[in-house]
């Protein structure tokens, strides 16, 4: 099962003050003869280390037993992981609260890790999901449209449409073009088909099924389809690749789409970084440094967060109100209750980031970024108009429903 944002939100909400929330991430080694054995040894070491930590830190007996149960579960699981080298895996468990979730992840984690804490450790998930939009991949030719979701490296087909007129060879409504006008009729049908596809894409975007999309088609059809797109749908298009709908494989679709998405994401990260830094310099809608970013997060002002990939900083969290403070103080400056120290503030802010649906980019070595403390936030405002959804589109929605009524699902 692949994780989706709603499930990440559930994980972010989970708390166990008694320190028995176990998070396990498994990243398979690159295939080598010894790899399975190495993976198993690594997991055993991690489990031993985690158990030592539990003995030292976890005070309540039930919480210690809960953590031990879950660590043993991870050890048992590691035997099955050997046969499944294509996926990474995440397990979130708290036996004391009867909580257990397992997810498959793309095998691009930084490593195999095991944590026991008051919250689940979500940084590897945030790395994967952070700024990745809900992405549609659309393949079209003259008669067919295949629409896929691309989530965390998994491609799943949502729609496979075939133009009904062509399929049945019927000519109702097109009688005038019959006999010697076949070519014109094909053009007409293609346009009609593309209109239908364009309407469906608009509906998907408006309903949030996709936030962005990528087009695959033979090059000569591309401009014909693009001519039918609503401006709002055009703006959400990240790029195009050349594809023959009949023959392209799933792996080819995924590879093309991921290349386009990665290039778009890299550019977006650079643009937002430049914008946030210049806004921060002019005291506009940007802030830099942990103290100011924490404050902006608590005020609910942050739209986009840029954070160093290996950002590490100490902070404290209030046990009562959840306030995070970059100054290591014993009592909460907001409510006066005792605080506890946090070793990794980049992890501690994630529940808030996930709840607020804040677009998050992790930044690799960058000297400009280093100088501003490896953490920068762009405060709330619209970055581009593509993000704003036009209202009053009810008539168009009805037209979409009508179009869809005329579509026939292609029996594959
Ligand atoms: Zn407090």
């Amino acid at each position: 099962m692949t994780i989706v944002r709603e499930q990440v939100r559930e994980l972010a909400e989970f708390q166990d003050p008694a320190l028995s929330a176990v998070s396990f991430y498994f990243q398979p080694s690159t295939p080598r003869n010894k790899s399975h054995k190495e993976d198993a040894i690594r997991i055993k070491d991690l489990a031993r280390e985690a158990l030592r930590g539990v003995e030292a830190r976890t005070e309540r007996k039930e919480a210690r037993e809960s953590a031990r149960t879950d660590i043993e579960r991870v050890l048992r699981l590691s035997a099955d992981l050997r046969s499944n080298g294509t996926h990474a895996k995440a397990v979130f468990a708290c036996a004391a609260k009867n909580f257990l979730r397992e997810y498959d992840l793309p095998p691009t984690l930084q490593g195999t890790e095991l944590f026991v804490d008051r919250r689940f450790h979500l940084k590897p998930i945030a790395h994967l999901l952070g700024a990745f939009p809900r992405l549609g991949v659309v393949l079209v030719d003259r008669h067919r449209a295949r629409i896929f979701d691309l989530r965390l490296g998994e491609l799943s087909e949502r729609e496979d449409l075939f133009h009904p007129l062509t399929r049945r060879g019927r000519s109702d409504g097109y009688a005038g073009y019959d006999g010697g006008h076949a070519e014109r009729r094909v053009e007409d049908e293609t346009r009609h088909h593309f209109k239908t596809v364009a309407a469906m894409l608009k509906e998907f975007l408006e309903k949030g099924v996709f936030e962005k999309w990528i087009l695959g088609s033979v090059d000569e059809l591309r401009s014909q389809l693009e001519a039918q797109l609503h401006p709002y749908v055009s703006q959400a298009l990240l790029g195009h690749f050349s594809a023959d709908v009949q023959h392209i494989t799933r792996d080819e679709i995924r590879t093309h789409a991921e290349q386009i998405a990665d290039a778009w994401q890299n550019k977006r990260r650079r643009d937002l970084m430049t914008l946030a830094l210049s806004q921060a310099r002019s005291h506009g809608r940007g802030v830099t440094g942990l103290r100011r970013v924490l404050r902006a997060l608590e005020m609910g002002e942050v739209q986009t967060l840029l954070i160093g990939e290996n950002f590490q900083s100490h902070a404290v969290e209030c046990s009562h109100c959840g306030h995070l403070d970059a100054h290591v103080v014993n009592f909460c400056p907001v409510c006066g209750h005792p605080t506890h120290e946090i070793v990794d503030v980049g992890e501690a802010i994630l529940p808030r980031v996930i709840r607020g649906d804040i677009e998050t980019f992790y930044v690799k070595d960058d000297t400009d970024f280093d100088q501003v403390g490896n953490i920068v936030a762009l405060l709330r405002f619209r970055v581009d108009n593509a993000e704003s959804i036009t209202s009053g589109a009810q008539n168009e929605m009805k037209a979409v429903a009508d179009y869809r009524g005329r579509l026939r699902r292609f029996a594959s």
Side-chain angles (χ1 to χ4, degrees), residues 317-324 331-339:
E317 181 179 39
C318 172
S319 315
H320 181 68
C321 74
H323 169 72
L324 287 169
F331 294 95
C332 173
V334 178
C335 74
H337 282 77
T339 61

Side-chain angles (χ1 to χ4, degrees), residues 133-272:
R134 280 191 288 275
L135 200 58
V137 184
V138 180
L139 298 189
V140 290
D141 64 13
R142 288 186 186 280
H143 310 293
R144 198 173 167 196
R146 302 180 70 189
I147 303 181
F148 298 85
D149 295 324
L150 183 61
R151 305 275 183 278
L152 289 175
E154 299 279 342
L155 196 70
S156 55
E157 190 150 12
R158 178 175 283 278
E159 300 275 353
D160 190 346
L161 306 171
F162 200 82
H163 199 280
L165 291 171
T166 309
R167 188 175 183 221
R168 284 186 248 149
R170 268 168 46 185
S171 58
D172 51 31
Y174 289 86
Y177 296 116
D178 270 351
H181 295 91
E183 197 176 308
R184 175 113 181 252
R185 206 188 73 175
V186 168
E187 284 303 311
D188 229 41
E189 285 186 2
T190 302
R191 195 177 325 118
H192 184 71
H193 168 57
F194 284 174
K195 264 191 182 158
T196 309
V197 173
M200 178 171 277
L201 289 174
K202 183 163 179 287
E203 186 195 7
F204 282 163
L205 284 161
E206 282 173 346
K207 286 186 173 168
V209 176
F210 309 148
E211 293 163 307
K212 302 286 175 189
W213 66 290
I214 289 167
L215 173 63
S217 71
V218 293
D219 293 329
E220 62 261 34
L221 289 181
R222 181 181 163 190
S223 58
Q224 285 186 52
L225 175 67
E226 290 187 355
Q228 303 290 346
L229 298 177
H230 188 278
Y232 159 61
V233 179
S234 296
Q235 280 168 356
L237 175 61
L238 299 188
H240 169 269
F241 61 93
S242 189
D244 171 352
V245 178
Q246 297 300 330
H247 299 109
I248 193 165
T249 66
R250 278 183 170 247
D251 274 350
E252 286 167 343
I253 298 170
R254 192 171 45 79
T255 307
H256 283 302
E258 281 181 340
Q259 274 166 5
I260 291 169
D262 285 349
W264 171 79
Q265 208 185 15
N266 287 336
K267 182 177 184 307
R268 186 170 169 80
R269 184 180 59 231
R270 284 195 303 273
D271 291 350
L272 288 170

